[in-house]
């Protein structure tokens, strides 16, 4: 079923404690994915939900999980799997906010790159909710530091990305351990072949929910492309940053090497920039992300995978320093800006003919209008044709 409308939270039959948490955050009306997902999840039905990034999927599964948890039990009752540590941490933060008025609900976030001993200590406190990356949860299962035989609800968030990243065997092994599972939620921006396979094997008569990127959900983003030589790219970024006076910007690169190079070149020009990618220690990545979330860092440079789960909804502009390899990456990247009813801007830097062909293909398949521009004599951007 396609959902186009939200619903008032007070019509969804939620507990006073959850309503209090929502009121504290200032939420009265749900997003469409929440209106479509919360009722069937509360009824223990399986759900397959396709919705654009940034539409509020965490509350769609987080609220039913918290409503179902027995705070008197010391068994793991719900597992949320996410493709990256950043997304797992983001989900944990949002779910802690939701559970703040429900006493004795304990949750733990498990991911690679953090000392496993610290996580084992957290698991000894007997959490009812586990949010984890598949690899690290598998490690704990092997060590017998966690048991999944009492899990009632399992969620795969960003299911398409998780399976694209090669986690399919980890995910299926984990689901096979959940002998008491009553429902499974698959939340995804796209429904890939692998997501459909998981649904077919592990779900029974799932409620299928689609939220289109319609005008209500679609961010208001001005999209531009600039044809430049390789040596002009950093200069172009700096010129646009200074002319538009953007306070908070994300720059996406296709490789770890490029993120390092762009960051250093911007720093040499006096721009406050930091980067994250898979080779940077987790502690440093978390520090950089926290600075960016708090608005203390002007430019944040990242690869697509490293940036998953960084839910910052008021980025002034996005730069595609490299044209993304996949259409979906373009959608995820530019979706960081133009949220919360504000107009955003996305600039894609093109240096050769294959990249230009790639960008035209992206525009066609994602139905985005990307305006070719160039620098005018006064330094402003003007139409290139």
């Amino acid at each position: 079923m396609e959902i186009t409308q939200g619903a008032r939270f007070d019509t969804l039959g939620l507990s006073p404690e959850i309503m209090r948490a929502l009121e504290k955050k200032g939420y009265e009306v749900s997003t469409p994915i929440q209106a479509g997902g919360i009722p069937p999840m509360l009824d223990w039905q399986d759900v397959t939900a396709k919705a654009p990034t940034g539409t509020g999927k965490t509350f769609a599964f987080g609220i039913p999980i918290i409503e179902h948890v027995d705070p008197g039990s010391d068994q793991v009752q719900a597992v949320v799997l996410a493709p990256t540590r950043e997304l797992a941490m983001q989900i944990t933060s949002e779910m802690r906010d939701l559970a703040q008025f429900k006493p004795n609900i304990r949750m733990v976030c498990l991911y690679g790159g953090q000392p496993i001993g610290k996580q084992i200590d957290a698991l000894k406190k007997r959490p009812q909710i586990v949010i984890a990356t598949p690899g690290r949860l598998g490690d704990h299962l092997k060590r017998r530091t966690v048991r999944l035989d009492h899990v009632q609800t399992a969620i795969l968030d960003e299911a398409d990305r998780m399976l694209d990243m090669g986690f399919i065997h980890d995910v299926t092994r984990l689901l096979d351990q959940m002998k008491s599972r009553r429902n499974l939620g698959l939340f995804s921006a796209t429904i890939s072949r692998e997501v459909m396979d998981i649904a077919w094997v592990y779900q029974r008569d799932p409620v299928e929910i689609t939220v289109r990127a319609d005008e209500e959900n679609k961010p208001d983003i001005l999209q531009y492309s600039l044809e430049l030589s390789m040596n002009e790219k950093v200069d172009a970024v700096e010129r646009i940053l200074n002319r538009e006076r953007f306070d908070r910007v994300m720059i996406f690169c296709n490789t770890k090497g490029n993120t390092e190079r762009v960051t250093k070149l911007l720093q040499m020009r006096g721009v406050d920039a930091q980067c994250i990618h898979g080779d940077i220690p987790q502690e440093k990545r978390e520090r950089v992300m926290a600075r960016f979330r708090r608005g203390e860092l002007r430019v944040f440079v990242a690869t697509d995978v490293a940036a998953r789960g960084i839910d910052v909804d008021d980025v002034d502009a996005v730069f595609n320093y490299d044209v993304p390899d996949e259409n979906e990456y373009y959608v995820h990247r530019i979706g960081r800006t133009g949220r919360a009813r504000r107009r955003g801007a996305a600039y894609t830097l093109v240096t050769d003919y294959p990249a230009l062909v790639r960008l035209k293909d992206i525009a066609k398949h994602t139905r985005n209008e990307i305006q070719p521009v160039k620098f005018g004599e006064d330094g402003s951007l003007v139409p290139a044709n």
Side-chain angles (χ1 to χ4, degrees):
M1 77 182 146
E2 190 171 315
I3 307 285
T4 56
Q5 300 281 309
R8 287 187 60 86
F9 281 114
D10 58 15
T11 66
L12 299 177
L14 306 179
S15 66
E17 294 87 354
I18 290 284
M19 287 304 299
R20 193 173 159 201
L22 291 167
E23 281 157 20
K24 186 175 175 183
K25 291 181 85 70
Y27 295 141
E28 290 182 10
V29 179
S30 77
T31 65
I33 189 64
Q34 293 160 2
I38 290 171
M41 292 288 297
L42 283 172
D43 286 343
W44 297 105
Q45 290 176 278
D46 289 340
V47 167
T48 300
K50 179 184 173 187
T53 300
T55 48
K57 288 180 272 188
T58 304
F59 280 20
F61 59 76
I63 287 173
I65 283 174
I66 291 163
E67 295 287 39
H68 283 155
V69 161
D70 173 6
S73 167
D74 58 5
Q75 304 288 349
V76 176
Q77 297 163 48
V79 168
V80 180
L81 294 176
T84 66
R85 59 194 88 181
E86 290 81 16
L87 183 56
M89 290 161 61
Q90 185 71 33
I91 293 166
T92 306
S93 171
E94 290 187 41
M95 288 185 65
R96 284 195 202 285
D97 285 349
L98 284 171
Q100 63 185 299
F101 299 113
K102 286 218 170 206
N104 303 318
I105 289 187
R106 298 176 298 281
M107 58 188 82
V108 67
C109 186
L110 309 175
Y111 51 83
Q114 187 189 46
I116 201 157
K118 193 174 173 185
Q119 295 176 356
I120 291 169
D121 290 342
L123 286 164
K124 284 177 183 168
K125 293 177 181 165
R126 315 293 286 181
Q128 299 103 346
I129 302 169
V130 170
I131 301 104
T133 53
R136 183 47 67 99
L137 184 55
D139 291 344
H140 281 286
L141 206 58
K142 279 183 206 142
R143 289 169 176 260
R144 300 188 178 174
T145 48
V146 70
R147 291 181 59 169
L148 304 180
D149 47 343
H150 287 81
V151 169
Q152 299 185 75
T153 296
I155 301 293
L156 271 56
D157 193 20
E158 303 277 16
D160 52 344
R161 194 65 52 229
M162 187 148 45
L163 303 178
D164 282 351
M165 288 165 67
F167 284 125
I168 189 156
H169 296 301
D170 293 306
V171 167
T172 54
R173 270 197 295 270
L174 292 167
L175 290 174
D176 289 340
Q177 293 293 320
M178 302 178 194
K179 308 293 187 193
S180 306
R181 182 172 47 79
R182 294 178 66 181
N183 65 343
L184 169 63
L186 301 177
F187 289 78
S188 206
T190 58
I191 303 298
S192 64
R193 177 76 254 170
E194 290 83 359
V195 175
M196 288 169 68
D197 288 345
I198 293 274
W200 187 75
V201 174
Y202 291 97
Q203 291 187 319
R204 283 187 300 276
D205 302 322
V207 175
E208 294 183 6
I209 300 162
T210 301
V211 175
R212 288 194 189 281
D214 60 17
E215 294 316 305
E216 184 66 21
N217 292 309
K218 203 168 187 176
D220 180 11
I221 305 166
L222 298 170
Q223 298 170 58
Y224 305 107
S225 65
L226 290 96
E227 289 191 50
L228 306 154
S229 73
M230 191 67 77
N231 295 331
E232 293 173 318
K233 288 167 88 171
V234 171
D235 287 333
V237 172
E238 186 192 14
R239 287 173 76 179
I240 294 168
L241 279 175
N242 292 339
R243 184 170 183 87
E244 300 295 335
R245 297 205 170 99
F246 292 134
D247 292 323
R248 187 144 66 160
V249 165
M250 288 186 82
I251 299 177
F252 285 95
C253 300
N254 290 351
T255 65
K256 297 170 186 176
N258 266 2
T259 63
E260 292 275 3
R261 192 157 49 251
V262 174
T263 304
K264 287 194 173 85
L265 288 168
L266 287 171
Q267 288 170 346
M268 285 163 62
R269 287 163 167 77
V271 177
D272 183 18
Q274 293 287 336
C275 68
I276 67 164
H277 54 69
D279 291 345
I280 287 176
Q282 178 61 19
E283 200 175 319
K284 185 179 177 190
R285 288 167 69 173
E286 287 173 21
R287 276 204 309 273
V288 171
M289 285 188 294
R291 274 193 69 205
F292 191 64
R293 282 199 193 99
R294 291 195 299 264
E296 296 167 5
L297 176 65
R298 188 179 185 199
V299 177
F300 183 73
V301 189
T303 55
D304 292 285
V305 171
R308 302 295 290 180
I310 303 163
D311 196 14
V312 177
D313 63 3
D314 53 354
V315 175
D316 298 322
V318 167
F319 287 83
N320 293 308
Y321 192 84
D322 301 316
V323 176
D325 294 328
E326 294 184 33
N327 299 350
E328 284 298 326
Y329 284 177
Y330 182 83
V331 175
H332 283 305
R333 289 178 181 190
I334 70 166
R336 305 294 181 163
T337 185
R339 291 195 194 176
R341 300 287 184 269
R342 291 174 59 198
R343 173 166 276 190
Y347 304 87
T348 301
L349 311 184
V350 181
T351 54
D352 55 29
Y353 184 69
L356 187 60
V357 172
R358 180 85 202 87
L359 189 61
K360 285 181 176 171
D361 185 60
I362 287 169
K364 179 182 166 188
H365 284 97
T366 62
R367 296 180 187 166
N368 279 294
E369 273 186 48
I370 305 173
Q371 169 75 45
V373 291
K374 62 183 181 182
F375 287 106
E377 287 179 16
D378 63 349
S380 64
L381 290 174
V382 296
N385 46 25

